């Protein structure tokens, strides 16, 4: 052994001399290449190298002058020799090469540009053979590369790798981990295909904390709410897709009708798409619930100010939903029940020939006919009461209704259902065909009976007035109802064109239909001495008749997209498409004449977006969107861009910054027409108008910035700010609408009651989130200010908009108790709300309707009507257990634990002396919620 060691040393010295060195030092062992653990702390580099060579058995040759005066530290687990050698040499100007005989020779580094390689591949299900999306890819020996995840076709791409062998670890929930060594060539791409073996998971409860890959700043303009929060719901609320969107910083769901607003924008300022298809009225139960079964959806993506050119036309942002195909590899089902609905989901996989096919069906239906939810019943009852002020404004001045009460009891009704179906065909590696369809319908209404006397007898009058309905109670049966439905269907094909290019083609159709109607029965008098005619009865009939109208929108689209990887940090995406729309709108109420509008329009659009890497930590996105309306000769351009930067900052964690902006237009406008309010269960009627000449599409300019800071693994801090310039908007001109001649038989030019507007919006927010074993929670604060002009009203002044909550503070917390139990709490407070009276007052009432009270009430200055702060606190207990492959999740909660009667708005009631009194409509009080979900 001694002779062999000396022989190896002699050969090493000879090699060192040939390399031009002197005084060389050699360490050798008979066995070579064994992994070893190393623990060296601030030792001479030469001594450390000797210990490493002894531990691993490699042959090592170097010039003693290379390591003289240098010290090294390295602590690792079991690692290959090259990993230990790189660890010891880190920070020193020393490199190494390996000879054909396996000897490692240290030398001074050669200064030349690094030759980088790339790794690409695909991950599949080992049994079904279909691509797996969301698989985690880690390279354990790569420098400055944390990893990536596979896309929806199962493909992944890791650029910027040093040439040589790399250990690749691939993992996916429900599958066994895959590990392999892949050699990455210089200036070329290595390809690796992995098939993961299914590994079922059985546990009472499972919490997955997903790692964050890539540039965090590239994700801040796309806040994602995953399927689990959609299906779980809040501490004491029914699971709701739209309600879950309110958990995103900058997105609010304003009670009582949960209309969504993105960063100061109106409810019509954003678009909502399901699998790429627009859904016009995505709500059920009078806009109290989202119109989608949470069991059917994979998640929700909210894009806010500064979203990219590929994401569509909208003034505020976009909300994107996708159907869910999770739970692959077997058959399973879910049943869920709560106080408002009953839902179910089934999914299975099969093989059609050699093609794997996944299928999912889900549905949900209202349980109103079996059990009437107290919160929903209370809300309909409160909000369907006849409004005396609006009723008086609809009658002649001498009407007894102008001096009395129109109190009534309601018999609420509500019903809804939705159906989802989806198919996925895995046609080959990274080649997929998706088909999906959705239909949802909702109806809400109330049967009202005027069973109280009206007139001065109830209002404290002196009793000397002319006999009328005050001494002769009457009944006026009425029915107010809104009914709407949404239907979508789409097919999407995606396939690789080359190793760097993927193409997508989609075709689909979307249809919306809604009606609003009020039916009036015969007046029934309870006393034969009562007057059977007169202004009071006529006014009551007009007040109860309410609003009639309907709307219908059909949209068909065909679009394609090509995604090209131009280089390791360069990419280009191009898309183009054709959209055809057909719409028909009819409106009318006690204040507005009956009008109708029909439109058939088409739009061509194309968009391109390029991603440019400006280094390891900086990325530039630039895009342009072009839209034209055939036959109208105008092309509308929308340039948009973003600059992103992120990197670790010393011991402060990771910091990511994103700055975005651009020009945004909207070519189909949503308008919420205030109903006359006398019997309105839902206070507005929605209509959609494809904008054609002479109406110019509205435009806004966005500038937004986001900062994400991860100071520790369990903490994350998000800060955002935005500014929107709105030089051209569109809004309903209510005085012009009220004065328009009735043209129900002939189409109406919408420019007669739609007029230009302008304004601005700015704000920001802060969110602090913590995810730990004993507590998961977040604290959010958002500030929003938005003003605009309202055509024909408020003297043309810019006025704060009615839909913003200037200050909003929200807190969520979940504390696990063990054995599948958890405590949950959600609290929220809002301050600074304006427009305190009913919206219909500002839209329709005039000084003549209020006589001397107009100046006192200042209905021409809604910014002066500040509502009191609104506070809510919900609490609940959830439980999750599993038996023999069946998982049961239940929740018992109490909404509005403090029982606060939060003010929704104010109403007015005329008095006999000509004055008016203010009364309050409040939001529902304390109420309980119980739900259960069973999965198998």
């Amino acid at each position: 052994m001694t002779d062999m060691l000396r022989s190896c040393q002699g050969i090493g010295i000879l090699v060192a001399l040939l390399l031009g060195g002197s005084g060389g030092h050699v360490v050798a062992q008979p066995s070579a290449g064994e992994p070893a653990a190393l623990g060296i702390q601030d030792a001479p580099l030469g001594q450390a190298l000797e210990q490493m060579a002894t531990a691993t058995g490699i042959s090592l040759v170097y010039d003693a002058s290379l390591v003289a005066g240098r010290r090294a530290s390295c602590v690792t687990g079991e690692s290959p020799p090259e990993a230990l050698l790189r660890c010891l040499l880190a920070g020193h100007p020393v490199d190494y090469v390996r000879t054909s005989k396996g000897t490692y020779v240290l030398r001074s580094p050669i200064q030349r540009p690094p030759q980088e390689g790339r790794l690409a591949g695909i991950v599949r299900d080992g049994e079904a053979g279909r691509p797996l999306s969301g698989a985690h890819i880690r390279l354990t020996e790569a420098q400055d590369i944390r990893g990536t995840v596979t896309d929806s076709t199962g493909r992944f791409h890791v650029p910027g790798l040093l040439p040589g062998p790399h250990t690749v670890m691939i993992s996916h929930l429900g599958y066994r981990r895959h590990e392999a060594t892949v050699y990455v060539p210089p200036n070329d791409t290595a390809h690796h295909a992995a098939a993961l073996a299914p590994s079922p998971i059985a546990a009472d409860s499972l919490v997955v904390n997903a790692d964050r890959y890539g540039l965090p700043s590239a994700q801040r303009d796309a806040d994602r709410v995953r399927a689990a929060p959609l299906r779980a719901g809040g501490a004491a609320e029914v699971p709701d897709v739209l309600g879950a969107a309110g958990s995103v910083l900058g997105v609010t769901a304003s009670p009582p009708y949960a209309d969504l607003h993105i960063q100061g924008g109106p409810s019509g300022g954003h678009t909502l798409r399901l699998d790429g298809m627009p859904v016009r009225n995505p709500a059920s139960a009078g806009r109290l619930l989202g119109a989608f079964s949470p069991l059917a959806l994979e998640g929700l993506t909210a894009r806010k100010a500064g979203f990219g050119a590929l994401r569509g036309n909208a003034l505020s942002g976009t909300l994107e939903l996708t159907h869910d195909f999770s739970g692959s590899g077997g058959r399973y089902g879910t049943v869920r029940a709560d106080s408002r609905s009953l839902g179910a989901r089934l999914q299975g996989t099969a093989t059609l020939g050699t093609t794997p096919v996944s299928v999912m069906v889900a549905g949900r239906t209202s349980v109103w006919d079996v059990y009437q939810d107290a919160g929903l019943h209370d809300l309909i009852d409160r909000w369907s009461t006849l409004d005396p002020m609006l009723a008086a404004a609809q009658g002649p001045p001498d009407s007894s209704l102008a001096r009395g009460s129109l109190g009534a009891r309601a018999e609420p009704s509500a019903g809804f259902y939705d159906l989802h179906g989806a198919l996925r065909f895995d046609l080959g590696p990274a080649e997929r065909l998706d088909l999906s369809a959705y239909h949802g319908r909702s109806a809400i209404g109330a049967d009202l009976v005027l069973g109280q006397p009206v007139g001065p007898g109830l209002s404290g009058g002196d009793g000397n007035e002319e006999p009328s309905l005050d001494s002769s109670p009457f009944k006026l049966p009425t029915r107010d109802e809104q009914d709407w439905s949404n239907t979508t269907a789409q097919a999407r094909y995606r396939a690789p064109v080359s190793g760097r290019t993927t193409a997508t083609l989609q075709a689909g159709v979307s249809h919306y239909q809604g009606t609003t109607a009020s039916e009036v029965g015969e007046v029934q008098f309870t006393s034969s001495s009562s007057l059977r005619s007169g202004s009071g009865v006529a006014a009551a009939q007009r007040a109860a008749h309410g609003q009639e109208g309907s709307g219908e929108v059909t949209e068909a689209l065909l679009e394609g997209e090509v995604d090209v990887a131009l280089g390791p940090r360069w990419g280009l995406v191009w898309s183009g498409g054709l959209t055809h729309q057909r719409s028909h709108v009819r409106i009318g109420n006690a204040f507005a004449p009956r009008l109708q509008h029909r439109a058939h329009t088409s739009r061509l659009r194309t968009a391109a977006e390029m991603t440019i890497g400006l280094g390891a930590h900086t990325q530039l996105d630039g895009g342009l969107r072009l839209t034209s309306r055939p036959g109208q000769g105008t092309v509308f351009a929308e340039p948009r861009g973003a600059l992103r930067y992120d990197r670790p900052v010393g011991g402060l964690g990771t910091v990511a910054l994103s700055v975005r902006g651009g020009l945004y237009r909207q070519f189909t406008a949503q308008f919420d027409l205030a109903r006359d309010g006398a019997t309105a269960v839902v206070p507005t009627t929605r209509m959609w108008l494809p904008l054609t000449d002479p109406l110019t599409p509205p435009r806004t300019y966005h500038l937004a910035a986001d900062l994400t800071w991860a100071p520790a693994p369990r903490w994350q801090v998000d800060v955002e700010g935005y500014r929107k310039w709105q030089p051209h908007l569109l809004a309903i001109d209510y005085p012009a609408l009220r004065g328009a001649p009735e043209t129900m038989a002939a189409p109406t030019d919408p420019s007669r009651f739609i007029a230009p507007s302008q304004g601005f919006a700015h704000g920001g927010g802060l969110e602090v989130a913590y995810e730990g074993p004993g507590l998961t929670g977040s604290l959010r604060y958002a500030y929003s200010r938005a003003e605009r002009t309202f055509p024909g009203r408020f003297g043309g002044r810019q006025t704060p908009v009615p839909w913003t909550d200037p200050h909003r503070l929200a807190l969520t917390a979940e504390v696990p108790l063990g054995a599948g139990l958890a405590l949950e709490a959600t609290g929220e407070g809002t301050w600074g709300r304006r427009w305190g009276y009913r919206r219909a007052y500002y839209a329709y009432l005039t000084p003549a309707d209020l006589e001397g009270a107009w100046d006192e009430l200042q209905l021409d200055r809604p910014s002066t009507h500040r509502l009191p702060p609104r506070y809510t606190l919900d609490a609940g207990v959830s439980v999750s257990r599993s038996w023999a492959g069946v998982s049961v999740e239940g929740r018992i909660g109490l909404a509005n634990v403090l029982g606060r009667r939060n003010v929704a708005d104010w109403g007015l009631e005329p008095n006999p002396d000509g004055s008016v009194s203010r009364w309050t409509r409040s939001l529902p009080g304390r109420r309980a919620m119980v739900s259960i979900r069973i999965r198998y």
Side-chain angles (χ1 to χ4, degrees), residues 877-897:
V877 178
S878 65
V879 59
S880 177
R881 299 300 300 270
S882 296
W883 297 276
V886 178
S887 174
V888 180
E889 300 175 23
R891 175 176 282 102
I892 300 176
L894 193 63
N896 194 6
V897 173

Side-chain angles (χ1 to χ4, degrees), residues 822-858:
L823 290 177
E824 302 171 337
T826 302
E828 185 177 86
T830 60
W831 303 267
R833 295 178 297 157
R834 314 289 184 97
W835 292 61
Y837 291 101
R838 298 186 66 170
R839 302 288 175 81
Y841 289 179
Y842 302 104
Y844 296 123
L845 294 185
T846 65
D849 298 318
L850 291 171
E851 299 178 355
W854 177 264
D855 293 334
E856 178 184 353
L857 294 174
Q858 293 186 307

Side-chain angles (χ1 to χ4, degrees), residues 468-788:
S468 62
L469 299 179
D470 60 300
S471 57
S472 305
F474 67 95
K475 294 183 178 181
L476 183 63
T478 68
R479 172 71 176 171
D480 181 81
E481 185 177 38
Q482 283 198 338
D483 184 305
W484 65 90
S485 65
N486 282 284
T487 305
T488 68
Q490 67 87 32
R492 176 182 294 172
Y493 174 74
R494 183 172 184 176
V497 178
S498 67
R500 293 174 175 266
T501 305
T502 301
T504 304
L505 181 65
Q506 183 179 28
V509 63
S510 169
H511 177 73
Y512 165 80
Q513 184 172 8
T515 59
T516 303
S518 297
E519 299 177 359
V520 182
E522 294 295 329
V523 177
Q524 301 175 7
F525 292 94
T526 59
S527 170
S528 58
S529 62
S530 59
L531 299 177
R532 296 182 176 271
S533 62
S535 60
V537 175
Q541 289 176 322
R542 282 190 294 272
H545 190 272
Q547 183 184 27
E548 293 184 354
S550 65
E552 185 175 358
V553 183
T554 302
E555 180 173 321
L557 66 83
L558 177 65
E559 60 184 13
E561 182 177 283
V562 178
D563 189 336
V564 184
L566 302 176
R569 295 185 178 90
W570 291 59
L572 174 66
V573 181
W574 172 87
S575 68
L578 170 66
T579 299
H580 179 76
Q581 280 185 325
R582 182 183 64 188
S583 67
H584 181 202
V585 176
R586 295 188 301 169
I587 60 174
N589 60 35
F591 296 102
R594 297 184 179 183
L595 305 173
Q596 71 166 330
H597 174 69
R598 295 179 181 268
H600 295 263
T601 62
S602 296
R603 294 194 306 275
L604 287 170
R605 62 93 175 164
T606 184
E609 191 169 83
M610 175 172 282
T611 298
I612 303 172
L614 302 179
H617 306 289
T618 307
Q619 176 180 310
L620 177 65
D621 298 339
L624 177 64
R625 188 176 186 89
L626 302 175
T627 306
S628 68
R629 299 179 294 189
Q632 300 188 29
T634 303
V635 176
F636 298 93
E638 298 170 73
R640 305 173 190 176
L643 179 65
R644 314 180 194 278
Y645 176 83
D646 71 301
R647 67 177 304 167
V649 181
L652 299 179
T654 301
V655 176
L657 174 67
S658 171
V659 179
R660 309 180 306 276
L663 169 61
Y664 299 82
R665 303 180 189 271
Q666 193 162 340
F667 295 90
T668 300
Q670 173 187 311
F671 299 98
D672 285 1
L673 176 68
R675 301 185 66 191
D676 54 26
T679 61
V681 177
V682 179
T684 61
T685 296
R686 286 185 171 169
M687 56 182 177
W688 287 266
L689 297 177
L691 299 176
T692 58
D693 291 337
L695 293 176
T696 302
R699 70 179 187 276
T700 66
Y701 299 90
H702 292 187
L703 179 61
D706 302 288
L707 177 67
T708 298
W709 175 37
R714 300 186 184 278
W715 290 88
Q716 179 167 313
V717 180
D718 293 317
V719 182
E720 70 176 24
Y722 62 90
R723 170 77 184 193
K724 300 176 184 179
W725 293 266
Q726 302 166 332
H728 177 63
L729 302 172
L730 294 175
I732 297 177
D733 186 340
Y734 281 97
L737 176 65
R738 190 169 183 176
E742 186 169 304
T743 58
M744 196 61 185
T748 303
D749 179 2
S751 63
R752 293 170 55 181
F753 59 90
I754 303 295
S757 171
Q758 62 181 2
F760 70 86
H762 63 248
L766 169 68
E767 180 174 11
V768 180
Y770 174 79
E771 296 183 9
L775 172 67
T776 298
S778 66
L779 178 66
R780 298 191 308 274
Y781 168 76
Y783 167 75
S784 177
R785 181 183 177 187
E787 296 184 4
R788 65 187 299 180

